[in-house]
DNA sequence: TTGAAAGCGTTACCAT
DNA sequence: ATGGTAACGCTTTCAA
């Protein structure tokens, strides 16, 4: 059906070898024949068969991404789409394809082993690393080039990653609130086995410790990044004797819930309670203009996707270069959601706070 | 490196042919050898090389999805991730891979032609169909099996699709509001060249027409599904002499903005202004429980993804069966965001409404 | 029930 | 600068 090398070379009166070389830009072919080959190839609408190419070269020009989904909560982390968009954009520009595997979180190990053995990808991206993630040693053992979006604490092997400085971001956000006079600061964080959540918690704790504020475990919550999480958390805080005057939120989505809970209670965000979010640049929530609604430690997950793609392609094409470890810094953008600790809420405090 | 058929058959003392047959479940191999083959294959951790398999069979066992992104607004439709999760889940279960191409919306035609010629996918899913979408005739011409998630009006070719009944959903939502006494009903819709938006507008208009309510073009807005869209729209409505008492929203995200605008104005959603959303089951926004916050015409985009995947795989494996056209119905779930048209807003009306 | 060998459409090695 | 041919690792046809 589709014209192949054989047809094309026959038409040209050249060998397949020469035609292949001409098409792939090898230097040892004369410029005149190259031009002629290109010409006829275009006329005949020739496109090389990728299946054959992949078998012959042993490379697939494909990057694998694994999207873990759980059967329980039918929820996909919304930052995933943005990340993929960033990475995929770079792949396309460099002739790579993207293979996406949706996998339920059972038999992870077997899945990765099979993926490696089948040879459908030249390298892969590890998403959502947990603390001490088994995938790092596993993929290393399998000899599969991989890069982690994020990091995995407690892993002693050297590995490639692109990460945003979560610890510093949350230290800065918390310090900012402390500077405003807040002492009761809540943290709405991701599940505690996630590496990013651990680092954010560390930054938060570190900022408190620096000021001599003792952390209150009841103010540090770990859950899925839903609106309901923020809403319910805030409602439960209101039951406390000394409700927090500020909240640091690992995503803008629970912050939407926090905002709603405040409104329900007749309170104003940024006046009665301050809120800072980690903003992954979910553009459907960012309100443009000079004064954004939320104060945010902001970093674009789409940009992270681009970086990850670039680094991984480079890894594949330069296998024995040293390990690549890229750190990104988030910017603190001050918006309307923060302000000084309100007096009436301070008055609730029962003296346990410095 | 990885063990291949040759190694495996050598170890077994059988021919590659027999081993291949045993592994692929051909009937003409004795049960005893099949068991032995399976056994040893597992021991040797054998996995067939997909690249070779694809060349030999001429099939890739891969489905292509194209994610169009625009350079201008760095925004990815959040329902995309859920859809992919649904489709990918079904692919995995059936031994198919998913290839995702991120493509900027230039030279669409060339992109699809190249994709077809390279032969990296056995079939593809068309996302975000527009009215009279060129991809339907294009892919038909190319002989590439494809299925549309949604439909494309004004196309005269028969084609395969899975769509939710958008027209009926919005007719029902609008009728529901009319029943409650609302007469000034706004529609916050997607871009008007999108097919789903056209169908939703048609359903909305039809419901109004049935009651003899004349539609007001100023109440029908088309834009991207962002929070800012809902917020700004609502603010602009407040400037009107007869502000709408109800809003139908094409996604829950602008509805979040509507809710915020109402609060800012000291109004209560579900009391002063009614809101109905089309809920694609973005789980980070659904608040569980028996009484959801939003009244919604609800359909799960993840389920739609599953259906699309099933139908497309069936198409590929049964090429000359008749065209598959699947219609899904959305459920109307009544929540707290709707109520009777408030008197004080009725009083604003200047008589142009029936 | 089993096996030998051709074929899938490229690339890459070795000649010329 | 060009060409012949083996190789990539499977499936599939034909024979036995």
């Amino acid at each position: 059906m589709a014209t192949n090398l054989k047809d094309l070379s026959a038409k040209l009166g050249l060998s397949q070898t020469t035609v292949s070389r001409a098409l792939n830009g090898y230097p040892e072919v004369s410029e005149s024949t190259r031009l002629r080959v290109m010409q006829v190839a275009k006329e005949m609408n020739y496109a090389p068969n990728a299946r054959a190419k992949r078998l012959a070269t042993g490379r697939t020009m494909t990057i694998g991404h694994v999207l873990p989904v759980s059967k329980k909560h039918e929820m996909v982390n919304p930052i995933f789409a943005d990340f993929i968009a960033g990475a995929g954009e770079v792949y396309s520009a460099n002739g790579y394809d993207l293979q996406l595997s949706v996998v339920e979180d059972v038999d992870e190990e077997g899945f990765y082993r099979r993926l490696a053995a089948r040879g459908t990808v030249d390298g892969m991206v590890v998403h959502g690393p947990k603390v001490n993630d088994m995938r790092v040693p596993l993929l290393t053992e399998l000899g599969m080039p991989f890069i982690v979006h994020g990091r995995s604490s407690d892993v002693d092997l050297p590995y490639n990653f692109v990460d945003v400085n979560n610890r510093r971001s949350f230290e800065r956000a918390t310090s900012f609130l402390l500077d405003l006079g807040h002492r009761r600061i809540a943290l709405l964080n991701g599940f505690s086995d996630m590496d990013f959540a651990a680092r954010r918690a560390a930054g938060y704790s570190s900022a408190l410790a620096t000021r001599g504020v003792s952390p209150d475990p009841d103010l540090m919550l770990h859950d899925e990044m839903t609106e309901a999480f923020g809403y319910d958390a805030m409602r439960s805080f209101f039951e406390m004797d000394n409700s927090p005057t500020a909240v640091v939120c690992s995503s803008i989505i629970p912050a939407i819930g926090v905002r709603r809970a405040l409104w329900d209670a007749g309170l104003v965000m940024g006046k009665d309670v301050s809120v800072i979010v980690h903003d992954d640049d979910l553009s459907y929530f960012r309100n443009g203009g000079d004064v954004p609604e939320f104060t945010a430690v902001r970093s674009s997950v789409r940009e992270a996707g681009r970086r990850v793609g670039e680094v991984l392609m480079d890894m594949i094409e330069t296998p024995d270069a040293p390990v690549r470890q890229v750190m990104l810094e988030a910017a603190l953008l001050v918006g309307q959601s923060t302000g000084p600790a309100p007096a009436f809420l301070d008055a609730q405090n029962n003296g346990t706070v410095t």
Side-chain angles (χ1 to χ4, degrees), chain A:
Chain A
M1 199 91 310
T3 83
N4 55 18
L5 245 202
K6 199 155 125 188
D7 301 344
L8 183 56
S9 56
K11 182 97 167 192
L12 281 158
L14 288 170
S15 73
Q16 297 191 27
T17 311
T18 305
V19 177
S20 172
R21 283 199 271 245
L23 257 22
N24 291 304
Y26 280 67
E28 66 263 43
V29 59
S30 81
E31 211 44 40
S32 59
T33 54
R34 160 162 295 134
L35 250 50
R36 200 162 66 87
V37 169
M38 296 294 221
Q39 168 76 18
V40 178
K42 174 157 288 178
E43 277 170 14
M44 295 185 70
N45 228 310
Y46 170 78
N49 182 311
R51 295 189 298 271
K53 204 163 189 162
R54 288 171 179 183
L55 179 58
T57 59
R59 292 187 49 186
T60 56
M61 297 297 284
T62 299
I63 308 289
H65 288 249
V66 179
L67 170 58
V69 295
S70 23
K71 204 79 181 179
K72 303 203 172 159
H73 21 61
E74 286 232 338
M75 147 154 196
V76 179
N77 191 333
I79 74 160
F80 189 81
D82 280 302
F83 182 90
I84 287 284
E89 185 186 306
V90 185
Y91 298 152
S92 293
N94 292 275
Y96 278 81
D97 287 321
L98 165 54
Q99 174 184 315
L100 182 56
S101 306
V102 176
V103 56
E104 287 162 28
D105 34 25
V106 288
D107 188 24
E108 257 199 318
E109 175 164 345
F111 175 83
Y112 283 94
R113 284 188 183 282
R114 256 170 285 131
L115 193 52
R118 293 197 312 139
T120 56
V121 300
D122 294 337
M124 39 187 318
V125 176
V126 170
H127 288 279
K130 300 186 192 303
V131 174
N132 198 8
D133 199 299
M134 50 103 47
R135 288 171 293 179
V136 174
L138 176 58
L139 291 169
T140 303
E141 175 206 330
L142 293 172
M144 167 71 70
F146 72 97
I147 182 168
V148 181
H149 175 212
R151 273 177 288 177
S152 183
S153 311
D154 301 350
V155 169
D156 49 355
L157 278 58
Y159 61 93
N160 306 274
F161 65 77
V162 171
D163 195 13
V164 58
N165 197 333
N166 282 302
R167 187 191 159 97
R168 176 132 58 197
S169 300
F170 275 61
E171 185 159 27
R172 194 184 302 174
T174 309
S175 298
F176 179 79
L177 292 168
L178 289 164
D179 286 344
L180 291 173
H182 296 275
R183 288 298 175 271
R184 297 280 294 163
I185 303 173
L187 172 64
L188 304 188
N189 206 351
F191 289 118
S192 57
D193 58 342
M194 301 301 289
D195 194 82
F196 81 88
R199 289 178 193 276
R200 290 177 181 182
Y204 162 88
S205 299
S206 157
L208 292 183
T210 300
R211 307 297 178 105
V213 177
S214 53
D216 180 347
D218 292 342
L219 296 187
M220 298 177 64
L221 271 41
H222 296 270
D223 209 326
E224 229 168 8
M225 296 291 106
T226 64
E227 184 187 358
F229 174 35
Y231 185 79
D232 295 343
M234 213 59 220
R235 305 277 293 196
S236 74
F237 289 154
F238 289 151
E239 315 267 292
M240 292 181 170
D241 287 340
N242 46 2
S243 174
T245 65
V247 181
V248 183
C249 223
S250 252
S251 154
I252 200 169
I253 295 175
I256 304 282
V258 166
R259 183 178 71 184
R260 181 153 71 98
L262 293 177
W263 269 317
D264 281 5
L267 299 175
V268 177
M269 185 173 73
K271 188 160 163 290
D272 301 317
V273 173
S274 292
V275 178
I276 296 190
V277 305
H278 179 97
D279 181 357
D280 298 291
D281 211 3
L282 299 177
S283 47
Y284 34 94
F285 280 121
R286 288 186 49 183
N287 33 358
D290 290 330
V291 186
E293 184 191 15
F294 284 99
T295 291
V297 281
R298 176 167 294 172
S299 72
S300 165
V301 69
R302 183 148 169 191
E303 178 58 23
R306 289 194 196 96
R307 296 297 295 274
V308 163
E310 284 163 3
V311 174
L312 182 52
M313 290 186 309
D314 177 57
M315 283 172 54
I316 291 171
E317 281 156 23
T318 318
D320 26 59
V323 169
R324 284 88 164 169
Q325 305 192 323
V326 179
M327 287 297 297
L328 308 172
E329 292 294 333
L332 177 67
L333 268 80
V334 179
Q336 300 164 332
S337 68
T338 47
F344 83 92
L345 279 172
D346 272 353
Q348 291 184 0
N349 291 346
N350 56 17
T352 59
V353 181
T354 306

